[in-house]
Short mmCIF file of all heavy atoms in Angstrom, two decimals:
data_model
loop_
_atom_site.label_atom_id
_atom_site.label_comp_id
_atom_site.label_asym_id
_atom_site.label_seq_id
_atom_site.Cartn_x
_atom_site.Cartn_y
_atom_site.Cartn_z
N PHE A 147 -17.34 49.65 -57.39
CA PHE A 147 -18.67 49.77 -58.01
C PHE A 147 -19.48 48.48 -57.94
O PHE A 147 -20.55 48.40 -58.54
CB PHE A 147 -18.52 50.19 -59.47
CG PHE A 147 -17.93 51.57 -59.64
CD1 PHE A 147 -16.58 51.73 -59.82
CD2 PHE A 147 -18.74 52.69 -59.58
CE1 PHE A 147 -16.03 53.00 -59.96
CE2 PHE A 147 -18.20 53.96 -59.72
CZ PHE A 147 -16.85 54.12 -59.91
N LYS A 150 -23.20 48.73 -57.39
CA LYS A 150 -23.91 49.73 -58.15
C LYS A 150 -24.67 49.04 -59.29
O LYS A 150 -24.21 48.02 -59.82
CB LYS A 150 -22.87 50.69 -58.76
CG LYS A 150 -23.28 52.12 -58.69
CD LYS A 150 -22.16 53.02 -59.15
CE LYS A 150 -22.84 54.31 -59.50
NZ LYS A 150 -22.07 55.47 -59.48
N ASP A 154 -26.36 52.65 -64.04
CA ASP A 154 -25.81 53.91 -63.53
C ASP A 154 -24.33 54.11 -63.88
O ASP A 154 -23.70 55.04 -63.38
CB ASP A 154 -25.97 53.97 -62.01
CG ASP A 154 -27.43 54.00 -61.60
OD1 ASP A 154 -28.24 54.55 -62.39
OD2 ASP A 154 -27.78 53.46 -60.53
N LEU A 155 -23.79 53.25 -64.71
CA LEU A 155 -22.36 53.35 -65.03
C LEU A 155 -22.14 54.09 -66.36
O LEU A 155 -23.03 54.15 -67.20
CB LEU A 155 -21.75 51.95 -65.18
CG LEU A 155 -21.79 51.03 -63.97
CD1 LEU A 155 -21.16 49.70 -64.35
CD2 LEU A 155 -21.08 51.64 -62.77
N SER A 156 -20.93 54.58 -66.54
CA SER A 156 -20.53 55.14 -67.84
C SER A 156 -20.27 53.99 -68.82
O SER A 156 -20.15 52.83 -68.41
CB SER A 156 -19.26 55.96 -67.67
OG SER A 156 -18.17 55.12 -67.38
N GLY A 157 -20.16 54.34 -70.09
CA GLY A 157 -19.92 53.32 -71.12
C GLY A 157 -18.66 52.51 -70.88
O GLY A 157 -18.65 51.29 -70.97
N GLY A 158 -17.59 53.21 -70.53
CA GLY A 158 -16.32 52.53 -70.28
C GLY A 158 -16.42 51.57 -69.10
O GLY A 158 -15.88 50.46 -69.13
N GLN A 159 -17.15 51.99 -68.08
CA GLN A 159 -17.32 51.12 -66.92
C GLN A 159 -18.16 49.90 -67.29
O GLN A 159 -17.88 48.79 -66.83
CB GLN A 159 -17.99 51.90 -65.78
CG GLN A 159 -17.08 52.97 -65.20
CD GLN A 159 -17.83 53.90 -64.26
OE1 GLN A 159 -19.03 54.12 -64.39
NE2 GLN A 159 -17.10 54.46 -63.31
N ARG A 162 -16.07 47.43 -68.87
CA ARG A 162 -15.24 46.74 -67.85
C ARG A 162 -16.02 45.63 -67.18
O ARG A 162 -15.46 44.58 -66.85
CB ARG A 162 -14.75 47.73 -66.80
CG ARG A 162 -13.62 48.60 -67.28
CD ARG A 162 -13.28 49.69 -66.29
NE ARG A 162 -12.42 50.66 -66.94
CZ ARG A 162 -11.09 50.56 -66.98
NH1 ARG A 162 -10.48 49.59 -66.33
NH2 ARG A 162 -10.37 51.45 -67.63
N ASP A 186 -15.87 56.79 -76.45
CA ASP A 186 -15.06 57.88 -76.98
C ASP A 186 -13.59 57.44 -77.07
O ASP A 186 -13.21 56.43 -76.49
CB ASP A 186 -15.22 59.13 -76.09
CG ASP A 186 -14.72 58.88 -74.68
OD1 ASP A 186 -13.51 58.62 -74.52
OD2 ASP A 186 -15.53 58.93 -73.75
N THR A 189 -11.56 56.71 -73.77
CA THR A 189 -12.09 55.52 -73.08
C THR A 189 -11.74 54.26 -73.88
O THR A 189 -11.37 53.24 -73.30
CB THR A 189 -13.62 55.64 -72.90
OG1 THR A 189 -13.92 56.88 -72.29
CG2 THR A 189 -14.16 54.52 -72.03
N THR A 192 -8.32 53.15 -73.00
CA THR A 192 -8.17 52.51 -71.69
C THR A 192 -8.73 51.08 -71.73
O THR A 192 -8.19 50.19 -71.07
CB THR A 192 -8.83 53.30 -70.55
OG1 THR A 192 -10.24 53.38 -70.79
CG2 THR A 192 -8.28 54.70 -70.43
P1 ADP B 320 -15.04 55.97 -68.32
O1 ADP B 320 -16.13 55.50 -69.23
O2 ADP B 320 -13.67 55.55 -68.74
O3 ADP B 320 -15.30 55.66 -66.89
P2 ADP B 320 -16.19 58.63 -68.34
O4 ADP B 320 -15.65 59.93 -68.85
O5 ADP B 320 -17.43 58.12 -68.95
O6 ADP B 320 -15.01 57.56 -68.50
O7 ADP B 320 -16.39 58.72 -66.77
C1 ADP B 320 -15.37 59.22 -65.95
C2 ADP B 320 -15.68 58.84 -64.50
O8 ADP B 320 -16.88 59.50 -64.09
C3 ADP B 320 -15.99 57.37 -64.34
O9 ADP B 320 -14.85 56.56 -64.16
C4 ADP B 320 -16.88 57.38 -63.12
O10 ADP B 320 -16.12 57.40 -61.94
C5 ADP B 320 -17.65 58.66 -63.27
N1 ADP B 320 -18.98 58.43 -63.89
C6 ADP B 320 -19.32 58.61 -65.18
N2 ADP B 320 -20.61 58.37 -65.40
C7 ADP B 320 -21.13 58.02 -64.20
C8 ADP B 320 -22.43 57.64 -63.75
N3 ADP B 320 -23.48 57.57 -64.58
N4 ADP B 320 -22.58 57.34 -62.46
C9 ADP B 320 -21.54 57.41 -61.62
N5 ADP B 320 -20.30 57.75 -61.97
C10 ADP B 320 -20.08 58.06 -63.24
#
Side-chain angles (χ1 to χ4, degrees):
F147 295 94
K150 222 174 160 157
D154 296 329
L155 299 179
S156 69
Q159 291 170 331
R162 284 172 193 273
D186 63 63
T189 308
T192 63

